[in-house]
Amino acid sequence: MLEVDSLEKRYKTGDMALRGISFTVAKGQVVGLIGPSGAGKSSLIRCINRLVEPTGGAIRLNGLDLTKLSGGNLRQARRRIGMIFQEYALVERLTVMENVLSGRLGYVAFWRSFFRRFPQTDVDKAFQLLDRVGLQDHVDKRADALSGGQRQRVGIARALEQDPELLLVDEPTASLDPKTSRQIMRLICEVCRERDLPAIINIHDVVLAQMFVDRIIGLRAGAVVFDGPPTDLTDTALTEIYGEEDWHAMRKTREEDAADESETKAFEAERLAELV
């Protein structure tokens, strides 16, 4: 379980990025973090994994207060937090397998990582994860030969290779087309539920978040202004988070996109049947 208690972050400029944020995330729960640019979403994610130092409050992961750690203890704690990045953060010249195995770098001796000689158990696990994310036929491909969706699947497998207790996901679909975005969100949510793994997904696409996550937290000006199930995210709540917008039109456009995709799939299936 993740517990965030009265978390604050004030930057040296005096700007207050986070204002007394408190919430908990239970095992297996997937939380979508939404809000306008500058709301504090990235600051919150980075405070949780201590890439940014909180100014006040506590962050407890399964009882361990991450804000009180430093040095080697902090490095060990970070191994318990898996990260999935918007721009994938892969090593382009390495293979898919080598990128996934990099998720074990915090666990193996330096000489093993330098020579890429990982224990067989780590290699076996990486094969299993690549099969789970649908990349079993791309093990030896270089990362720079993959599509955006495939790269993000490698990022998911790499994060899971850590055996994390918490998953932090930063805009996983920002560079993907609508169909691939849904596939990636579905995959992330499925693996979290399979592993009883809590996750926070920083996401701009509100409709996509509503389709997949268990719970939504909305930030505005560094404070929580919404916390509840996706079904409670009404137009009034969205206006509280983002300001005035035609939310009905936005949903209608998304529904039309989904309908177009469904029709395209049906047409392709018919054409395939004719060819067979």
Side-chain angles (χ1 to χ4, degrees):
M1 174 183 286
L2 174 70
E3 301 170 86
V4 177
D5 184 11
S6 303
L7 188 65
E8 294 186 351
K9 175 58 185 177
R10 183 186 295 275
Y11 288 101
K12 292 181 179 180
T13 58
D15 295 330
M16 198 73 173
L18 301 174
R19 305 170 185 271
I21 300 231
S22 297
F23 62 88
T24 62
V25 184
K27 288 185 176 181
Q29 186 177 57
V30 180
V31 175
L33 188 63
I34 67 171
S37 297
K41 303 187 301 298
S42 294
S43 292
L44 177 56
I45 291 284
R46 285 166 171 75
C47 279
I48 290 173
N49 64 15
R50 290 285 305 278
L51 292 177
V52 167
E53 289 298 319
T55 307
I59 304 164
R60 290 181 286 271
L61 181 57
N62 293 327
L64 178 66
D65 191 345
L66 303 179
T67 61
K68 297 185 181 301
L69 302 179
S70 61
N73 290 331
L74 178 57
R75 286 192 295 274
Q76 288 186 3
R78 282 197 179 120
R79 299 187 310 193
R80 302 163 64 180
I81 302 175
M83 278 290 299
I84 299 172
F85 301 90
Q86 174 181 341
E87 296 300 332
Y88 322 123
L90 304 182
V91 181
E92 300 287 304
R93 62 184 177 79
L94 296 185
T95 66
V96 166
M97 173 59 79
E98 288 169 329
N99 271 284
V100 173
L101 286 170
S102 69
R104 300 301 296 174
L105 291 178
Y107 292 89
V108 300
F110 172 77
W111 71 267
R112 281 188 177 272
S113 63
F114 184 81
F115 291 106
R116 300 175 197 161
R117 294 179 180 175
F118 291 87
Q120 189 59 45
T121 53
D122 291 347
V123 176
D124 292 342
K125 182 180 176 183
F127 274 115
Q128 293 171 2
L129 288 170
L130 286 170
D131 183 58
R132 177 62 186 86
V133 302
L135 292 178
Q136 62 271 30
D137 296 328
H138 301 274
V139 172
D140 295 321
K141 272 190 179 179
R142 280 174 49 128
D144 55 10
L146 303 176
S147 67
Q150 289 170 335
R151 291 183 183 203
Q152 196 58 284
R153 289 172 185 272
V154 176
I156 294 169
R158 177 184 57 194
L160 296 176
E161 181 78 4
Q162 290 180 227
D163 280 328
E165 297 174 26
L166 171 68
L167 199 60
L168 300 178
V169 189
D170 190 19
E171 289 292 345
T173 64
S175 304
L176 305 177
D177 62 78
K179 177 182 177 181
T180 306
S181 295
R182 285 191 287 274
Q183 293 172 340
I184 292 299
M185 282 294 291
R186 184 179 297 109
L187 177 60
I188 291 171
C189 293
E190 285 178 354
V191 297
C192 285
R193 288 158 190 154
E194 290 168 3
R195 295 165 176 266
D196 215 16
L197 180 63
I200 299 176
I201 304 177
N202 177 8
I203 185 168
H204 275 298
D205 192 326
V206 174
V207 177
L208 192 63
Q210 288 179 290
M211 289 173 64
F212 292 103
V213 304
D214 304 310
R215 171 182 166 200
I216 290 178
I217 294 177
L219 296 184
R220 184 169 186 174
V224 174
V225 295
F226 177 87
D227 187 350
T231 52
D232 287 354
L233 195 64
T234 62
D235 290 358
T236 300
L238 286 168
T239 298
E240 175 69 15
I241 298 169
Y242 291 98
E244 291 291 340
E245 181 57 81
D246 188 348
W247 302 108
H248 175 73
M250 181 191 71
R251 289 192 181 96
K252 184 178 179 182
T253 298
R254 177 59 66 130
E255 289 169 359
E256 289 172 350
D257 288 344
D260 288 343
E261 181 184 330
S262 179
E263 290 176 4
T264 300
K265 284 183 177 179
F267 175 76
E268 290 174 348
E270 289 176 5
R271 291 291 296 152
L272 181 60
E274 291 173 3
L275 291 171
V276 172

